[in-house]
Amino acid sequence: MANEGEDGFDPTKQDAREVAGDAAENREEFLTLMPHFYRGALSQSGRYLDRLDLTVDWAIAVVTAVLALGFQSSDVPPYLIPIGMVALSMFLLFDVRRYRSYDAIRARVRLVEENVYANALNPVGATLGEWREELGEDLRKPMLKVSYREALSRRLKRVYFPLYVLLAVAWLFRITLFVPNEPWRETAAVPGVSGEIIVGIVGAFYLALILVTFWPRKREAKGEFHGEEPGDWKERKKAE
C-alpha cells in the first residue's frame, strides 16, 4: 500500500493506531509510558510559555519606545501615544491567542500531575476517575480549554492593563501639562478630527477595557496555585 513503509507498517490502520492500547490494561507499561508523555507535554508547555513571554517583551519595548519618542520634544505629535495604544492592542490579541494554546497544553500537564504523581505521593482518596479518558480524548481531538473572553481578561489583569494605564497617564500629561500654553483641545486633536472627539474615543476605549478586565465571570482556566500563604504548605498538624 502507498502508506506502508518498507517494514509493512501502515499508520492509518486501526491496529496500528491502537499499538499502545495494551498499556491501558497493563499497570507496569502504563506507569512506564506516563513519564515520557509528561516530559514531552512539559517541554511543549515551556515552548508555548517562551512564545508568550516574547510577545510581552515586545509589547513592553513598544510602550517604552512610544513614551520615549512622545516626550522627546513638544514638536512630536501627541497622537503618537494613542497610536501606541493601538499597537499595544495588536500585541494583546497575539498574546491572547498564544495564551489559549499555552493553557491547553498546561491543562494536560496538570491533569497528569494531579492524577499520577500526586496520587503516587499521597494515595489517600485516590480514584481512577475519568481523567484517563478525558486526557486520551483531548490528545485525539485537541481543544482550547479557556474562552477568548476569559483569556483576554486574564492577560489584561496580569500584564496589559498596567501598560494601558501607563499610556493613559502619559497621554493625559502630554495633552495638558507638557505644553502649558496650549489648550488641551488643540493638543489632543488629530489632523481632521477635533480634540473633543479624540478624548471621547479614548475614554470609551478605556471604559470598555475596564469592563472586559474586571467584569466577574466563572473561571475556566486550569488553576495551579490555590491562594495559600507562602510557607503554609510546609506546616503539618502533629498527630494527636
Side-chain angles (χ1 to χ4, degrees):
M1 294 180 63
N3 291 333
E4 292 186 2
E6 295 180 358
D7 57 355
F9 179 76
D10 183 4
T12 63
K13 290 183 178 180
Q14 184 64 25
D15 58 345
R17 293 174 62 87
E18 299 296 336
V19 67
D22 293 340
E25 305 297 334
N26 188 304
R27 180 185 182 89
E28 183 177 351
E29 289 187 12
F30 176 76
L31 293 178
T32 302
L33 181 65
M34 289 309 297
H36 298 289
F37 168 77
Y38 176 72
R39 285 195 295 269
L42 195 63
S43 177
Q44 188 178 17
S45 175
R47 289 195 298 271
Y48 275 100
L49 183 59
D50 289 341
R51 296 176 61 194
L52 200 62
D53 290 340
L54 183 61
T55 307
V56 174
D57 292 342
W58 275 104
I60 294 175
V62 167
V63 170
T64 303
V66 167
L67 294 178
L69 292 174
F71 290 93
Q72 188 174 19
S73 71
S74 59
D75 295 331
V76 177
Y79 56 78
L80 179 64
I81 297 179
I83 291 176
M85 298 175 185
V86 175
L88 183 61
S89 299
M90 295 177 62
F91 281 106
L92 174 61
L93 296 180
F94 294 147
D95 186 281
V96 169
R97 185 181 62 183
R98 292 182 173 183
Y99 173 78
R100 297 182 76 196
S101 299
Y102 164 71
D103 177 80
I105 303 301
R106 179 184 64 174
R108 294 177 184 173
V109 173
R110 292 292 297 129
L111 199 62
V112 173
E113 290 175 344
E114 292 171 351
N115 293 280
V116 177
Y117 295 102
N119 290 339
L121 293 170
N122 183 16
V124 177
T127 58
L128 290 178
E130 300 178 353
W131 71 271
R132 291 171 62 176
E133 180 180 351
E134 180 182 349
L135 182 58
E137 185 63 24
D138 186 62
L139 290 173
R140 290 188 177 96
K141 298 179 182 179
M143 296 180 61
L144 297 172
K145 313 300 188 300
V146 60
S147 67
Y148 191 92
R149 183 180 177 186
E150 181 182 349
L152 181 62
S153 175
R154 289 179 62 80
R155 296 309 290 167
L156 280 168
K157 286 180 181 179
R158 289 173 177 257
V159 180
Y160 288 86
F161 190 76
L163 296 177
Y164 277 112
V165 171
L166 179 61
L167 287 176
V169 172
W171 182 64
L172 291 175
F173 177 79
R174 182 65 179 78
I175 66 175
T176 54
L177 301 177
F178 191 71
V179 185
N181 297 326
E182 184 176 275
W184 68 266
R185 295 178 181 83
E186 296 181 9
T187 308
V190 173
V193 184
S194 66
E196 290 88 345
I197 294 178
I198 297 299
V199 171
I201 293 175
V202 173
F205 172 77
Y206 271 84
L207 177 60
L209 204 64
I210 292 173
L211 291 176
V212 171
T213 304
F214 298 105
W215 191 270
R217 61 181 55 85
K218 184 179 178 180
R219 180 188 176 107
E220 297 176 0
K222 189 70 173 177
E224 292 199 35
F225 304 107
H226 297 275
E228 298 294 334
E229 291 295 328
D232 284 355
W233 71 279
K234 294 183 178 180
E235 297 178 2
R236 296 291 183 268
K237 292 182 179 179
K238 296 181 179 180
E240 295 181 357

